[in-house]
Amino acid sequence: MNHLDVVRLLGLDAPTRPADGYGRVVPEDFEFLVQAVPAGVFAGSVLLERPDGLPVRSLEEFTRPTSLRIGDMELSLRSRDQRLWLPLYPEPGGMVPWGRTATDGVLLWDTTAADTADWTTVVTDDDFQLWLDLPFPASELVARALLGRSEGIPAFETIEEYESGSFWKVADDMRATATVLSNPDIGAVEELVARIRNIGVPGVRQYAQELADRAVENARESSIVFPEDYLTVMREFPGGVIAGMRVFPVARVAWLTEDPVFLQWGEWEGRAFGWLALTSDPQDWRVGYVEPGGTSLTHLEDQTFASFLRRRLRGDNSLF
């Protein structure tokens, strides 16, 4: 999907392709989308950065309005002793913000690819503890948000329309999430799911479900059955980083060795994290990790996938 799909979904006329010069600094599809659609909110959830001029001539100028937000990210992560798997702009190859969510998250490009047309999307939550990897460009994220929005949410609103319209549903949803998370007896899975859903970009959940369902179907051929808490979370989370830890998309989960005992689902600072599959029932599997180079293995016998990640989200890294 591209900017023309967004225009079609909004019922607008297809714009005339601009003159050459687009796509050299940021993806041209984003520039075309900004030119075709006025400032506002897509699906009650996505807002685009609006460059001063098109085509974008300087990445420094494009990122100037979001430079304070980048600083907030870096300070927040350092305060938790966390490091990103990719740098942030202006570091070479650093992630570049191109928008934000209605719940105060940030939308960024992964600029690893040399060609701007191949830049993909990263979505964060408001305190930068959840980073979702999405292998599609900005315009496809917008299109998926439009297609996945809940009933009654307009496809597009001006800022003024949003503030008197969808804003109130977003606020109600955030209050509902806060109420759920305030429960002292909340389960680990419920807490993770609530936090992921609070990012609030329609279409992400559907994409995560597609990945998980496809992986489960493929896994049946190799007799792999995943723990239920893992599947419940990964039907919301398409892969990325949770509390500084890389969590693979479901399709990347794999046995670390030929002897099927350690099933890896993530990594952190060179350590491989996964389950020790010591029983035939995956619901009994518990988290383990292997030190860099395979020098030693630690079994966290009381930690499931969900309970382990919840500890990290709560700032408790005492297990290692």
Side-chain angles (χ1 to χ4, degrees):
M1 289 184 279
N2 57 35
H3 72 288
L4 293 176
D5 294 291
V6 175
V7 169
R8 175 179 55 80
L9 288 167
L10 296 179
L12 302 175
D13 294 330
T16 302
R17 185 179 179 86
D20 291 340
Y22 288 73
R24 295 177 182 172
V25 177
V26 300
E28 66 173 18
D29 202 51
F30 172 83
E31 294 178 295
F32 295 164
L33 181 61
V34 169
Q35 188 168 66
V37 182
V41 184
F42 297 90
S45 63
V46 175
L47 298 87
L48 308 181
E49 290 299 321
R50 311 294 299 192
D52 291 336
L54 292 171
V56 175
R57 303 294 185 185
S58 163
L59 203 53
E60 181 179 0
E61 291 181 9
F62 179 77
T63 57
R64 187 169 290 125
T66 57
S67 59
L68 291 177
R69 193 63 162 150
I70 289 288
D72 288 344
M73 287 182 188
E74 293 174 331
L75 288 173
S76 176
L77 294 169
R78 280 202 297 269
S79 72
R80 294 176 167 95
D81 294 324
Q82 294 175 9
R83 286 181 283 179
L84 282 172
W85 74 106
L86 288 173
L88 290 164
Y89 183 83
E91 294 295 322
M95 291 183 288
V96 173
W98 58 261
R100 61 185 177 89
T101 72
T103 55
D104 208 27
V106 184
L107 305 165
L108 307 102
W109 282 302
D110 175 345
T111 69
T112 303
D115 189 340
T116 61
D118 297 325
W119 289 3
T120 55
T121 297
V122 177
V123 182
T124 79
D125 67 341
D126 60 344
D127 67 351
F128 318 123
Q129 291 301 284
L130 300 171
W131 298 74
L132 284 60
D133 289 339
L134 301 171
F136 34 78
S139 56
E140 182 167 348
L141 178 75
V142 174
R144 285 176 176 264
L146 295 175
L147 292 170
R149 70 188 190 278
S150 59
E151 185 176 354
I153 295 296
F156 180 82
E157 298 164 283
T158 65
I159 298 298
E160 293 75 16
E161 291 170 337
Y162 170 75
E163 289 175 346
S164 62
S166 298
F167 167 84
W168 298 103
K169 183 181 187 309
V170 172
D172 288 343
D173 289 345
M174 293 178 70
R175 278 193 292 270
T177 298
T179 299
V180 170
L181 294 176
S182 68
N183 178 3
D185 299 319
I186 188 172
V189 173
E190 186 180 11
E191 183 171 335
L192 285 171
V193 167
R195 291 193 60 160
I196 295 167
R197 288 186 181 177
N198 193 53
I199 294 173
V201 179
V204 170
R205 184 182 185 190
Q206 291 90 328
Y207 174 67
Q209 287 177 328
E210 291 169 12
L211 289 181
D213 292 344
R214 194 182 314 138
V216 168
E217 187 63 33
N218 293 337
R220 289 196 183 103
E221 299 176 6
S222 54
S223 301
I224 295 177
V225 180
F226 299 111
E228 194 56 42
D229 69 329
Y230 172 77
L231 286 177
T232 300
V233 172
M234 297 308 287
R235 286 192 170 99
E236 309 283 342
F237 185 77
V241 173
I242 298 178
M245 175 167 291
R246 165 68 72 180
V247 177
F248 303 149
V250 185
R252 281 193 57 195
V253 171
W255 297 109
L256 192 62
T257 63
E258 292 182 3
D259 181 15
V261 174
F262 190 87
L263 189 62
Q264 185 181 6
W265 50 255
E267 63 185 13
W268 179 75
E269 294 191 349
R271 296 181 175 97
F273 282 80
W275 298 284
L276 278 177
L278 300 178
T279 70
S280 59
D281 185 355
Q283 311 314 321
D284 295 331
W285 296 351
R286 294 297 180 263
V287 171
Y289 63 88
V290 179
E291 294 290 345
T295 54
S296 66
L297 184 150
T298 301
H299 188 196
L300 305 176
E301 299 181 29
D302 61 343
Q303 296 299 314
T304 66
F305 170 83
S307 67
F308 174 74
L309 288 177
R310 175 170 69 169
R311 287 177 70 104
R312 287 189 58 84
L313 280 170
R314 291 181 172 185
D316 184 348
N317 299 323
S318 61
L319 294 175
F320 51 88

